[in-house]
Amino acid sequence: MRRPLRRLLGVLAAFAIAFTVSGPAAAAPRTSAAEVTPLSTSTPVVFVHGYTGSASNWVTAMSVFRTKGWSSDRLFAYEYNSYGNNVSNAQGLASFVQNVKSRTGASKVAIVNHSMGGLVSQYYLKVLGGNANVSHLASIAGANHGTTYAGACLIYVTCQQMYPGSSFISQISSGDETPGSTAYATWYSACDGIILPYTSTRLDGADNNPVACQTHIGFLADTSVLGDIADFIS
């Protein structure tokens, strides 16, 4: 009886091994929706330069955005008079955004600004009600609460408006600094050197991102920060 019993046990063991190897496979790990949903790069992006800047300031930024999936016909640079009035500059931005919406068929745009472009953008979004047309606002070293550096050019009205404590600064910073459903984010650095104090860029209610050490102009070529901004918008 031992041999048949031994043979039976052997057969049962072989069956168990075969079942383990060829039995039902373990369920594959689930993939989250975030992992399978492609980034949205259809939102037109409007870049707003700073004091004495121009569209050329955004060459690197546009290159980074194209790498992230944006097409060139979705990237726009707004130029304005650095020595004029930021109220007029904001009104010009309002017209520019409307034109971009008409050209692209988009219901909203994203805005990326630098330096004094922060004042132009904030006035447009807050005072002129532009937040209804803007899905995301990213401010890079924006002079959102002014900079004492503007004391060097107070001959110009834009610099007067950019000086901390000006009536212009009070108008855009009083009450809700991040109105509407727009997603706001800022990037700033203690190494800025132009925005003084450097924390002036921060906006209450925004996603405020300190950068370890970057100069004011260096931000415009910082592909890491610019990549983060593209990810924020997408």
Side-chain angles (χ1 to χ4, degrees):
M1 292 294 293
R2 289 184 180 178
R3 186 171 299 173
L5 179 59
R6 187 177 301 160
R7 184 179 296 113
L8 176 60
L9 292 176
V11 171
L12 291 175
F15 179 82
I17 293 172
F19 182 83
T20 301
V21 173
S22 61
R30 292 183 179 180
T31 302
S32 68
E35 292 174 319
V36 298
T37 302
L39 298 178
S40 173
T41 57
S42 61
T43 301
V45 181
V46 175
F47 296 92
V48 184
H49 65 76
Y51 180 69
T52 72
S54 68
S56 64
N57 290 162
W58 300 111
V59 171
T60 301
M62 289 188 178
S63 177
V64 170
F65 271 70
R66 285 193 294 269
T67 299
K68 291 284 188 175
W70 269 265
S71 59
S72 295
D73 61 2
R74 291 275 164 169
L75 303 174
F76 304 86
Y78 169 60
E79 291 191 324
Y80 60 88
N81 181 8
S82 290
Y83 310 105
N85 190 310
N86 280 323
V87 172
S88 298
N89 292 335
Q91 292 169 341
L93 177 59
S95 298
F96 190 85
V97 167
Q98 192 58 46
N99 181 260
V100 168
K101 288 174 58 182
S102 297
R103 288 175 59 181
T104 62
S107 59
K108 293 186 177 185
V109 305
I111 288 179
V112 178
N113 66 56
H114 177 249
S115 195
M116 194 173 74
L119 301 187
V120 177
S121 302
Q122 286 300 103
Y123 195 93
Y124 166 55
L125 267 74
K126 182 170 182 176
V127 181
L128 302 182
N131 62 82
N133 300 313
V134 180
S135 64
H136 297 75
L137 181 133
S139 187
I140 311 171
N144 299 323
H145 294 96
T147 173
T148 57
Y149 199 88
C153 56
L154 291 178
I155 186 175
Y156 300 114
V157 64
T158 46
C159 290
Q160 295 169 18
Q161 293 169 331
M162 190 163 46
Y163 199 81
S166 70
S167 59
F168 187 94
I169 296 293
S170 297
Q171 190 173 13
I172 64 174
S173 61
S174 63
D176 188 0
E177 293 188 345
T178 53
S181 59
T182 304
Y184 296 78
T186 72
W187 282 260
Y188 61 100
S189 173
C191 298
D192 186 295
I194 299 296
I195 301 302
L196 304 171
Y198 71 93
T199 52
S200 171
T201 299
R202 295 172 58 93
L203 292 171
D204 288 342
D207 178 10
N208 297 299
N209 300 277
V211 178
C213 192
Q214 184 54 274
T215 64
H216 191 66
I217 299 302
F219 269 115
L220 295 173
D222 191 326
T223 56
S224 177
V225 169
L226 295 170
D228 288 344
I229 292 171
D231 290 341
F232 162 68
I233 294 173
S234 64

